[in-house]
Amino acid sequence: MRILLVEDDELLASGLTTALTRANHHVDHVMDGQKAIHALADGEFDIAILDLGLPKIDGTEVLRTIRQKGNHIPVLILSARDATKDRILGLDLGADDYLTKPFELDELLARLRVLERRRSGNTVNQIKIGDLIIDLTSLSVTWKGASLDLQRREFALLKKLAESPHQVFNRSQLEESLYGWNDGVESNTIDVHIHNLRKKISPNIVKTLRGVGYRIGDIEES
């Protein structure tokens, strides 16, 4: 997933970015509420992790603002405010989950998996298409019973396509999903990832619709 992390504690944000990246997510980080509102208006994020005690604009106002603008991105509040009234306020304003600091990293990752399944419409931790199995917990892929060694962004691309098997994604949408603000993206990057997936799995794993984009292929015919 592409995650927007809104956290003004630089040390905590750095640790979270490292941990979430290792868990195969892409993280963009902002440190105040004003930047969070702008980022959520301009970027295509899958989930936002939102602190409440932020500079410039409080996290509750960030949440209120984006919901009023019709932005339905899943939001997990991560805050030191542990009073019941704060939890209730956050959930009433439209947060999807609320986790208090200090927290266990494994619990945060588990809660993110729940939000991810809810967002994608999956009720289990696996995506199955024919002989292809993508395990969202172990971040592993098997094809016809054999375990595959995929690079992080190859996995992310495959998962993005497999989650919406009937949707066609253009190049910009895929780049937006796989890369963030600070990543340099070569013009042929998506082509390289697709080439590698076809080589490692099947020539039919990704279908190219010329002039339109890409979707998961008819791999049951492979």
Side-chain angles (χ1 to χ4, degrees), residues 36-146:
I37 291 173
H38 291 318
L40 289 168
D42 297 337
E44 291 190 14
F45 298 96
D46 298 306
I47 286 178
I49 299 175
L50 177 67
D51 186 19
L52 294 183
L54 296 170
K56 297 186 179 180
I57 299 177
D58 188 76
T60 55
E61 288 304 312
V62 172
L63 187 55
R64 191 195 313 273
T65 298
I66 66 170
R67 293 306 190 226
Q68 287 176 346
K69 291 181 177 180
N71 189 330
H72 301 296
I73 182 175
V75 174
L76 186 153
I77 290 177
L78 187 63
S79 175
R81 299 179 189 175
D82 58 359
T84 300
K85 63 180 179 64
D86 292 314
R87 293 171 179 263
I88 292 173
L89 176 61
L91 294 171
D92 281 346
L93 287 174
D96 297 88
D97 200 355
Y98 196 116
L99 183 61
T100 58
K101 302 173 183 175
F103 60 94
E104 294 290 336
L105 178 61
D106 286 344
E107 182 179 3
L108 173 63
L109 294 175
R111 290 179 183 236
L112 289 174
R113 288 194 295 270
V114 171
L115 293 179
E116 182 181 17
R117 292 198 301 270
R118 189 182 303 166
R119 179 186 63 85
S120 63
N122 292 317
T123 57
V124 296
N125 285 326
Q126 290 184 337
I127 301 173
K128 296 183 180 181
I129 303 177
D131 292 322
L132 178 72
I133 300 175
I134 304 172
D135 192 300
L136 303 178
T137 301
S138 64
L139 306 178
S140 61
V141 177
T142 58
W143 169 244
K144 295 185 176 181

Side-chain angles (χ1 to χ4, degrees), residues 141-172:
V141 177
T142 58
W143 169 244
K144 295 185 176 181
S147 179
L148 302 178
D149 182 18
L150 299 185
Q151 298 298 314
R152 181 168 66 91
R153 289 197 171 104
E154 293 169 4
F155 179 94
L157 175 58
L158 179 64
K159 175 177 165 292
K160 178 76 172 178
L161 296 172
E163 281 178 335
S164 304
H166 302 296
Q167 182 174 347
V168 177
F169 296 91
N170 62 39
R171 184 180 298 272
S172 296

